[in-house]
């Protein structure tokens, strides 16, 4: 039997809520239909935002939403998306399906959505095809409270008060779709652009995020930090607050990027290959983190994993440029495992944004006209929300076994443990096995006899179990009862292919 030792006397880093963040791009049906249907839609909405989606996201405790891309961000000109809607420019979304973008969802609509969700804002500015002036004026438009051309324009467009930008990305994937830059060149551009991100009085600070690496491009991380890291103490804060990292799990890709594998139709071998590829996140976070430590041992710069998740082939018959994919128990287990990895690295990982929120890639929800369903990944985020703002506790899983074989072998169980401000301990676990349940002896270093389970839930199912518009609750959060209290803690049994959340407090 595996043993989970929880050292509740060793409190580690605080788990930043933004680790549970999301990403929304003008891509396929993410913004249009997924989030925004317009004020005149028959779909129930408040100021154009779908009520069913907003309510579900609030219930899931969405902490931050990145917008407007992605690759779209480096072609987005924010002034096209303000003012009377009938006058807004129509453009071609060249990256995603070549469809017409009518700019009816722009800055005002984004901040209205943020208001309704009650979450933090994360705007990604255009470096690839934009200008310093354009970015700086966007910041002025959104956040300045005095008399200025941009603040006046915002007021003329109907919003007297400024909004708050919590995070600002200085470009996206500038090693690729954001300008195909070399790290040395981008780093100099970063220095220049970030200079003009002004923190206006009463509305500061804006946390600036520098474009980091694609997957294992450690050279990018090092080169960018060599040029951008400001060693003079007072200046560092606000010069660079975060460095991003993008990593997608492509279940079956070998050489051809166009063959990633089906979202629902895969073998057991591919299931384990997918999880093993997802587990690569542990190595990426560790190795990029080690380079960051060389420059920033005090860990003031956050690693922002602002794009991650499973990327499969699109659903048959759908627009290949829309990246619409189904979501199964495989997605749930990968999400649970990855979030446990982020929690355990929460001294460095300060934000992570799964791609993407709705109808695109590994989504938490899917829509079909007025219908909306929650995916298995949704329930993982909802269960794990208890970790937001809690303190990571030292935990150690021993005598556990592995699953998969050969190059696809990985640990069977992934866990993380935190304690919230009320002393409630949250333990989240994944059982990555398709073959067997796992018994775990959970022990506390102190007061094990005093802890009782106050809440417990889980998701489980066959590896490709998923929700559809006809059968929306094949996978859903259910009450978890497979535990027994004992003198040192408790014994739990994780069903195969499951994600479990236990909450415990002293009784
Ligand atoms: O999430 C889809 C795309 O993946 C994003 O636009 C881009 O940043 C990444 O390559």
């Amino acid at each position: 039997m595996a043993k989970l030792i929880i050292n509740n006397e060793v409190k580690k880093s605080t788990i930043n809520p933004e680790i549970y963040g999301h990403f929304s791009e003008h891509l396929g049906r993410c913004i249009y239909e997924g989030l925004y249907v317009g004020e005149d839609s028959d779909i129930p909405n408040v100021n154009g935002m779908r009520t069913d989606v907003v309510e579900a996201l609030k219930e899931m405790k969405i902490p931050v939403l990145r917008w407007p891309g992605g690759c779209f961000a480096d072609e987005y000109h924010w002034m096209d998306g303000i003012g009377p809607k009938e006058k807004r420019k129509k453009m071609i979304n060249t990256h995603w399906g070549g469809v017409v973008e009518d700019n009816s969802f722009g800055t005002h609509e984004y901040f209205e959505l943020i208001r309704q969700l009650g979450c933090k804002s994360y705007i990604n500015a255009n470096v690839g095809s934009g200008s310093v002036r354009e970015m700086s004026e966007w910041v002025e438009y959104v956040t300045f409270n005095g008399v200025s051309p941009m603040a006046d324009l915002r007021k003329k467009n109907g919003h007297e008060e400024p909004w708050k930008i919590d995070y600002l990305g200085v470009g996206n994937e500038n090693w690729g779709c954001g300008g195909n830059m070399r790290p040395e060149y981008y780093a100099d551009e970063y220095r220049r652009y970030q200079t003009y991100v002004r923190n206006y009085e009463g509305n500061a600070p804006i946390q600036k995020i520098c474009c980091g690496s694609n997957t294992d491009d450690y050279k990018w991380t090092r080169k960018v930090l060599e040029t951008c890291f400001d060693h003079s103490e007072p200046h560092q804060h606000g010069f660079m607050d975060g460095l991003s990292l993008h990593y997608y799990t492509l279940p079956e890709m070998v050489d051809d990027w166009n063959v990633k594998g089906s979202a629902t139709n895969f073998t057991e071998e591919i299931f384990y290959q997918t999880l093993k590829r997802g587990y690569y996140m542990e190595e990426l976070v560790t190795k990029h983190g080690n380079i960051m430590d060389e420059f920033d041992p005090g860990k003031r710069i956050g690693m922002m994993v602002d794009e991650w998740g499973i990327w499969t082939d699109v659903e048959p018959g759908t627009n290949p440029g829309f990246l619409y994919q189904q979501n199964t128990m495989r997605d749930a287990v990968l999400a649970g495992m990855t979030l446990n990895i982020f929690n355990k690295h929460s001294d460095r990982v300060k934000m992570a944004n799964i791609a993407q929120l709705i109808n695109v890639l590994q989504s938490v929800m899917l829509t079909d006209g007025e219908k909306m369903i929650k995916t298995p990944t949704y329930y993982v985020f909802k269960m794990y929300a208890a970790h937001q703002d809690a303190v990571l506790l030292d935990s150690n899983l021993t005598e556990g076994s592995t699953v998969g074989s050969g190059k696809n072998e990985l640990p069977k169980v992934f866990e993380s443990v935190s304690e919230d401000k009320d002393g409630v301990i949250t333990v989240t676990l994944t059982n990555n096995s398709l073959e067997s349940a796992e018994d775990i002896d959970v022990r506390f270093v102190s007061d094990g006899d005093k802890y009782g389970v106050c809440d417990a839930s889980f998701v489980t199912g066959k590896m490709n179990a998923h929700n559809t518009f006809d059968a929306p609750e094949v996978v859903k959060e259910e009450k978890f009862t497979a535990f027994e209290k004992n003198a040192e803690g408790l014994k739990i049994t994780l069903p195969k292919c499951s994600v479990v959340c236990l909450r415990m407090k002293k009784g």
Side-chain angles (χ1 to χ4, degrees):
M1 188 189 313
K3 283 193 175 50
L4 173 61
I5 310 293
I6 299 174
N7 190 343
N8 43 337
E9 288 173 351
V10 177
K11 299 195 188 344
K12 300 173 106 179
S13 41
T14 297
I15 297 172
N16 214 21
E18 285 87 319
I19 285 179
Y20 292 85
H22 291 264
F23 168 38
S24 59
E25 180 165 12
H26 288 240
L27 196 178
R29 295 182 298 116
C30 181
I31 299 288
Y32 300 111
E33 185 186 315
L35 286 164
Y36 181 73
V37 288
E39 295 83 347
D40 301 330
S41 172
D42 290 339
I43 298 174
N45 69 84
V46 174
N47 298 328
M49 313 299 155
R50 304 181 62 127
T51 309
D52 52 355
V53 168
V54 168
E55 288 308 314
L57 291 174
K58 277 162 61 179
E59 201 187 340
M60 194 193 74
K61 291 209 174 113
I62 181 172
V64 62
L65 184 62
R66 179 177 182 235
W67 172 81
C71 294
F72 182 83
D74 278 77
E75 275 194 309
Y76 183 62
H77 302 285
W78 68 272
M79 280 209 182
D80 296 346
I82 56 170
K85 289 198 179 171
E86 61 284 2
K87 290 198 180 147
R88 293 189 192 174
K89 272 191 199 160
K90 294 190 172 43
M91 60 188 263
I92 300 292
N93 190 332
T94 48
H95 270 290
W96 306 118
V99 292
V100 173
E101 162 64 58
D102 70 2
N103 279 302
S104 55
F105 187 96
T107 301
H108 289 247
E109 289 74 23
Y110 170 72
F111 281 100
E112 169 59 13
L113 176 62
I114 292 298
R115 183 192 70 76
Q116 290 188 26
L117 294 174
C119 74
K120 289 192 174 171
S121 60
Y122 175 5
I123 288 224
N124 212 112
N126 180 348
V127 169
S129 71
S131 67
V132 173
R133 177 176 179 176
E134 187 181 7
M135 181 205 63
S136 146
E137 288 187 337
W138 199 5
V139 172
E140 181 187 325
Y141 184 90
V142 173
T143 64
F144 188 54
N145 201 12
V147 176
S148 83
M150 290 302 117
D152 291 351
L153 185 58
R154 182 192 68 237
K155 290 173 192 168
K156 190 173 146 240
N157 286 332
H159 211 274
E160 190 66 27
E161 296 299 316
W163 298 283
K164 172 139 181 38
I165 299 177
D166 294 293
Y167 297 95
L168 187 118
V170 180
N172 168 71
E173 296 195 349
N174 301 93
W175 35 262
C177 64
N180 283 305
M181 299 174 190
R182 293 172 304 113
E184 296 85 349
Y185 179 80
Y186 169 74
D188 275 335
E189 286 292 86
Y190 177 81
R191 293 184 71 94
R192 189 165 71 104
Y193 271 71
Q194 71 78 33
T195 307
Y196 303 96
V197 179
R198 302 287 183 213
N199 275 315
Y200 295 109
E201 206 185 322
N203 229 340
I206 296 172
Q207 298 209 38
K208 299 174 204 170
I209 300 177
C210 175
C211 171
S213 151
N214 179 23
T215 311
D216 56 357
D217 187 351
Y218 301 113
K219 180 180 161 212
W220 179 280
T221 300
R222 182 173 295 286
K223 288 277 171 203
V224 162
L225 285 172
E226 271 169 11
T227 307
C228 291
F229 191 79
D230 185 345
H231 290 274
S232 54
E233 276 290 319
H235 290 135
Q236 188 55 50
H237 185 67
F239 190 88
M240 184 198 294
D241 302 289
L243 181 64
S244 67
L245 167 66
H246 288 185
Y247 173 57
Y248 285 100
T249 301
L250 311 172
E252 293 182 50
M253 210 273 277
V254 183
D255 298 316
D256 183 357
W257 171 261
N258 292 315
V259 184
K260 304 179 198 72
S262 162
T264 51
N265 187 11
F266 48 85
T267 62
E268 293 194 356
E269 191 188 344
I270 293 299
F271 173 88
Y272 289 123
Q273 177 166 296
T274 309
L275 294 189
K276 183 63 186 277
R277 289 181 176 189
Y279 179 40
Y280 189 40
M281 187 66 89
E282 169 69 35
E283 182 175 328
L284 293 173
V285 169
T286 303
K287 288 190 173 169
H288 285 292
N290 288 344
I291 298 172
M292 292 174 81
D293 285 350
E294 288 176 30
F295 295 86
D296 174 34
K299 298 192 198 303
R300 285 169 306 171
I301 299 176
M303 186 186 294
M304 314 304 211
V305 190
D306 58 15
E307 289 187 32
W308 68 275
I310 296 187
W311 190 329
T312 68
D313 297 340
V314 298
E315 284 303 291
T318 63
N319 187 330
F322 280 15
L323 310 187
Y324 176 71
Q325 66 189 47
Q326 250 295 357
N327 192 293
T328 65
M329 269 308 298
R330 176 177 68 169
D331 294 72
V333 174
L334 182 126
M337 178 179 78
T338 309
L339 292 168
N340 282 335
I341 291 171
F342 291 153
N343 284 347
K344 288 201 157 191
H345 285 277
S346 51
D347 57 338
R348 178 61 83 182
V349 177
K350 296 297 173 191
M351 175 154 63
N353 309 69
I354 191 169
Q356 297 190 6
L357 188 68
I358 186 158
N359 291 329
V360 172
L361 302 179
Q362 190 175 347
S363 304
V364 292
M365 276 176 267
L366 303 174
T367 63
D368 179 9
E370 63 181 10
K371 295 184 197 157
M372 182 275 280
I373 53 174
K374 296 168 182 167
T375 67
T377 301
Y378 173 89
Y379 294 108
V380 174
F381 273 82
K382 182 167 170 285
M383 291 191 296
Y384 277 52
H387 284 303
Q388 293 188 23
D389 233 355
V391 177
L392 182 73
L393 293 183
D394 188 52
S395 64
N396 203 0
L397 196 85
T398 58
E399 297 167 44
S401 50
T402 61
V403 291
S405 59
K407 68 178 181 21
N408 294 334
E409 190 175 358
L410 78 160
K412 182 173 178 182
V413 174
F414 282 79
E415 105 295 341
S416 68
V417 184
S418 70
E419 184 182 307
D420 73 12
K421 59 175 179 10
D422 300 320
V424 179
I425 290 183
T426 299
V427 184
T428 49
L429 308 113
T430 64
N431 180 353
N432 295 2
S433 172
L434 295 173
E435 285 89 33
S436 59
E438 180 75 356
D439 289 333
I440 303 184
D441 188 14
V442 181
R443 294 180 183 200
F444 291 87
V445 162
S446 66
D447 291 340
D449 56 326
K450 299 201 176 79
Y451 280 98
V453 174
C454 54
D455 196 12
S457 56
F458 75 129
V459 287
T460 191
K462 295 202 172 108
M463 64 181 182
N464 61 353
H466 58 278
N467 297 332
T468 64
F469 296 99
D470 293 330
E473 295 201 331
V474 172
V475 180
K476 62 175 196 290
E477 185 182 355
E478 291 178 83
K479 208 171 160 46
F480 181 73
T481 53
F483 57 84
E484 272 170 39
K485 181 87 196 86
N486 58 39
E488 284 136 334
L490 67 162
K491 194 193 130 205
I492 57 177
T493 303
L494 302 179
K496 60 188 178 185
C497 193
S498 67
V499 183
V500 174
C501 175
L502 285 163
R503 305 207 69 214
M504 285 171 274
K505 66 177 179 195
K506 287 187 192 172

